[in-house]
Every structure is written in C-alpha cells, then in structure tokens.
C-alpha cells in the first residue's frame, strides 16, 4: 500500500475578478504521508486556505477556478471525480476545521444534531445511533454529552471550536485539514485545543495539514513544514531541519521576526515590505522585491527546486549557485 495519502502536483488556482486575475496558487507541489502532520506556514494571502479548499474542491466558482494540476488522495485524482463522489469524501475521508468556529456552526441546530448529521449521511446509521456516536464525540473532545441538546450560542469560543473538531473527526477521516484552528481563541484554550488535536491524531492515525502563521504552533504539532509564499512552496523540510537550519531568505525572515528567549536583542528584524499583489506578481523570484540578497537575475529567472539534504528542499538562486548571499545564511 502506498504510504502517501496525499500528493499534489503542479496545482494552479486563479480567481477571475473585475480587478484582474488573482494568481492565488502557482504550481504547488506537496506530499503527505499517512499519520503525518504537515504545517503549512506563510503570511496572510500566501494561498494556504485556497490550497486547502482545492483539496476538498470547495473553491467558489465563479470567481475561483482550478486551472491545472493533479490532487491524488489515496491514489485517486480528486479533480477527476464527480461532485457526487466528492460529497462522499468530504467530511468522511477528508475533513476540514474552518478558521472561525463562530461562523462554522449552524445557529438554529443543536450541536448534537450537527455532529450526528455527517455520521448519518456517511455511515448510514439511524438518527438514534448517530446521536449516540455524537454524544461519544462530545465526550471525546471534553464536553459533557448532556450538552448535545444545546445550541451554539450557549457555548464559549473554545467550546465551539471543540464542537467543530468533534464534527470533523466524527467519521474518522484519513486526512484532517485544520485552517488556523486556534486563531480566535485565547492562549490557554489554544494549548488545550492543540493538545486535543494531537491526541486524537495519534489515536486515529489521522494525517493532518495544519494551516497557520504561528511557528510556535508548528513546533508543537508538526512533523514536516512547508513554507508558502505568493502561492508556491518555497521551502519544505522536516521540523528539525527547518528550525535548526532554515535556508530560504523568507524563512530566515520569519524566524528573525520572533523574539528569542535565549538572546537579548535590541530590535527584531522583520521582513521589509508587504506580500505582493496576487493580481500583479513580480517577475522572476516572487520574493525578490523584499529580499536583501536579491540581484538583477532574481527579477528575471524563477528559481528551481534545490535539494539541500534528504527531505529538505528550497527554491532560491543562492542554492543553485547562480548568485552569492550578501551575508552568511
């Protein structure tokens, strides 16, 4: 049996708007093994959520369109399946925890009914059996089953997020996509939710894609990390490789923006400038307008993938030997 549960090859996604074509994802490649957790890191607008929605084929059309690429899940190309086949996969084999628990839940349905709904559809159980399973799922995420008859407005933000996790895990999916699952929560609740997700992942051997821009969460949770910039993965490595030996100037900039507990630094070194406008991406390497090492060739030539060591790849002309870094990286 192939150990890769997900393979994305050369994915390109555009949003066609009145202001122009938004090039959201540009030739993205990604591999995820069974039971593995991949952190997808990058600033807002890097294309992380679009990538996740593409896997589930939930890109709103119009304006969104998957221009090209292949997304293999369990050996099947999801982009070739019918809508009916996709419905049997969503929430069943692939689940997603959306960014904001406040808007993910239906305000006029009890939380028990919302968890049971997916179980009924995908596992063909009666309503009573599905409710029994829903009660179990609530207990699993640390909510008393007596609260199954309550409505979303009766729960705090952290409790709502637990309900959303219970819905996502109710059918034991092989792949769980979590889109910034802790953004709306305070720090102590964040830690509890992450701990819960890790425990459930280990229990069910679920592969997970964790979308975040918090490198602390990545360090806590992930096995592999993909750093995204302007719709492409510019560095991909194991957790240890990325934290001990980051290579891409952008990745180094992300780490330079975090306060260190070991060193006493006067000022942090943030990455200058802003994410490029996706309707008008820079030529050549998309990071060159913000890169302190950029030279003329960076404006003209796109970098290829360079393998630094086993499992660690980077897209940068420095590592192709085309340009020299202006300081030691």
């Amino acid at each position: 049996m192939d150990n890769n549960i997900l393979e994305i090859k050369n994915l390109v996604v555009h949003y066609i708007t009145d202001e122009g074509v938004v090039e959201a994802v540009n030739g993205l490649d990604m591999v995820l093994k069974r039971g593995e957790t991949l952190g997808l890191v990058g600033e807002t607008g890097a294309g992380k959520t679009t990538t996740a929605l593409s896997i589930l084929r939930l890109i709103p059309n119009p304006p969104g369109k998957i221009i090209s690429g292949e997304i293999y899940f369990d050996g099947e190309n999801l982009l070739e399946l019918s809508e009916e086949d996709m419905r049997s996969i969503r929430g069943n084999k692939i689940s997603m925890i959306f960014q904001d628990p406040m808007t993910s839940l239906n305000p006029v349905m009890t939380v028990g009914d919302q968890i049971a709904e997916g179980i009924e559809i995908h596992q063909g159980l009666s309503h009573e059996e599905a409710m029994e399973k829903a009660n179990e799922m609530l207990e699993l995420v640390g909510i008393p089953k007596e609260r199954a008859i309550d409505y979303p407005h009766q729960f705090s933000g952290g409790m709502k997020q637990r309900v959303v996790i219970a819905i996502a895990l109710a059918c034991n999916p092989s792949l769980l996509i979590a889109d910034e699952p802790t953004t709306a929560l305070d720090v102590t609740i964040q830690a509890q939710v992450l701990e819960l997700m890790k425990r459930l992942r280990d229990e069910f051997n679920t592969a997970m894609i964790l979308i975040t821009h918090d490198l602390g969460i990545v360090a806590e949770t992930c096995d592999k990390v993909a750093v995204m910039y302007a719709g492409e993965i510019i560095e991909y490595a194991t957790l240890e490789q990325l934290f001990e030996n980051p290579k891409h100037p952008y990745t180094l900039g992300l780490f330079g923006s975090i306060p260190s507990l070991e060193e006493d630094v006067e000022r942090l070194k943030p990455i200058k400038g802003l994410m490029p406008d996706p309707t008008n991406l820079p030529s050549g390497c998309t990071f060159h307008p913000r890169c302190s090492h950029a030279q003329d060739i960076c404006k003209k030539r796109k970098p290829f993938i360079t393998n630094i060591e086993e499992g660690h790849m980077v897209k940068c002309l420095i590592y192709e030997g085309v340009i020299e870094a202006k300081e030691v990286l």
Side-chain angles (χ1 to χ4, degrees):
M1 194 181 193
D2 187 1
N3 200 27
N4 294 339
I5 192 158
L6 182 75
E7 279 184 73
I8 301 178
K9 297 178 182 176
N10 197 26
L11 181 68
V12 178
V13 184
H14 290 172
Y15 293 97
I16 292 102
T17 71
D18 295 342
E19 281 74 48
V21 176
V22 175
E23 297 178 23
V25 176
N26 305 301
L28 181 131
D29 295 295
M30 189 160 70
V31 173
L32 183 67
K33 291 185 164 58
R34 293 172 197 283
E36 189 175 75
T37 299
L38 173 75
L40 202 52
V41 184
E43 289 169 274
T44 301
K48 305 184 298 293
T49 300
T50 297
T51 302
L53 293 175
S54 302
I55 295 168
L56 283 162
R57 282 215 349 228
L58 288 174
I59 298 284
N61 182 8
K65 194 168 192 291
I66 295 176
I67 303 294
S68 64
E70 298 161 282
I71 301 173
Y72 289 97
F73 172 73
D74 254 347
E76 278 188 301
N77 186 354
L78 298 180
L79 301 183
E80 290 176 350
L81 296 183
S82 67
E83 182 54 34
E84 194 180 338
D85 287 340
M86 275 309 296
R87 272 202 295 270
S88 70
I89 287 175
R90 290 187 201 116
N92 186 19
K93 293 179 181 171
I94 306 177
S95 275
M96 184 158 173
I97 300 169
F98 291 93
Q99 202 161 357
D100 185 1
M102 314 302 166
T103 54
S104 299
L105 295 168
N106 185 336
V108 296
M109 275 175 83
T110 66
V111 297
D113 279 338
Q114 292 189 56
I115 300 169
E117 187 177 36
I119 301 167
E120 272 182 74
I121 292 167
H122 293 302
Q123 298 190 344
L125 301 181
S126 69
H127 184 65
E128 287 69 32
E129 290 168 324
M131 280 307 292
E132 207 171 299
K133 177 98 191 277
N135 289 342
E136 280 172 34
M137 289 308 300
L138 278 175
E139 293 277 348
L140 197 62
V141 298
I143 297 174
K145 62 177 186 237
E146 291 74 29
R147 298 211 58 188
I149 56 170
D150 289 348
Y151 290 86
H153 71 270
Q154 293 169 283
F155 291 82
S156 67
M159 296 286 256
K160 280 189 186 132
Q161 192 61 295
R162 284 162 184 262
V163 172
V164 170
I165 291 170
I167 293 170
L169 291 168
C171 295
N172 292 359
S174 321
L175 172 61
L176 178 65
I177 302 169
D179 187 0
E180 304 202 17
T182 57
T183 302
L185 310 175
D186 66 53
V187 181
T188 46
I189 305 296
Q190 264 191 29
Q192 287 174 17
V193 167
L194 287 171
E195 195 49 51
L196 170 70
M197 283 168 63
K198 278 197 303 198
R199 203 183 77 232
L200 296 173
R201 174 197 72 193
D202 296 342
E203 207 170 302
F204 298 121
N205 193 33
T206 307
M208 197 155 88
I209 296 174
L210 181 65
I211 296 172
T212 181
H213 35 225
D214 186 333
L215 287 163
I217 288 175
V218 169
E220 280 284 302
T221 324
C222 301
D223 307 308
K224 301 268 176 74
V225 192
V227 180
M228 240 182 134
Y229 187 82
E232 55 188 321
I233 290 173
I234 53 164
E235 185 159 7
Y236 178 91
T238 66
L239 185 70
E240 289 77 17
Q241 285 167 339
L242 194 88
F243 275 73
E244 288 169 17
N245 191 19
K247 288 292 185 189
H248 198 285
Y250 176 64
T251 314
L252 288 159
L254 290 179
F255 280 109
S257 309
I258 305 170
S260 167
L261 294 175
E262 276 87 44
E263 295 169 44
D264 193 14
V265 182
E266 288 269 311
R267 293 182 73 86
L268 295 174
K269 287 190 276 188
I271 305 165
K272 62 182 186 190
L274 298 167
M275 280 285 283
D277 176 357
T279 61
N280 184 22
L281 289 175
S283 58
C285 171
T286 47
F287 186 59
H288 83 253
R290 304 174 71 185
C291 182
S292 55
H293 305 279
Q295 293 172 26
D296 277 349
I297 188 152
C298 300
K299 299 173 186 173
K300 299 178 188 132
R301 166 143 127 50
K302 270 199 163 313
F304 301 124
I305 291 170
T306 305
N307 288 306
I308 305 292
E309 57 182 311
E310 180 69 36
H312 190 173
M313 72 69 137
V314 65
K315 279 186 179 178
C316 177
L317 295 181
I318 292 169
Y319 302 101
E320 288 183 42
V322 176
I323 64 168
E324 282 191 21
K326 292 187 180 167
E327 67 216 50
V328 178
L329 287 179

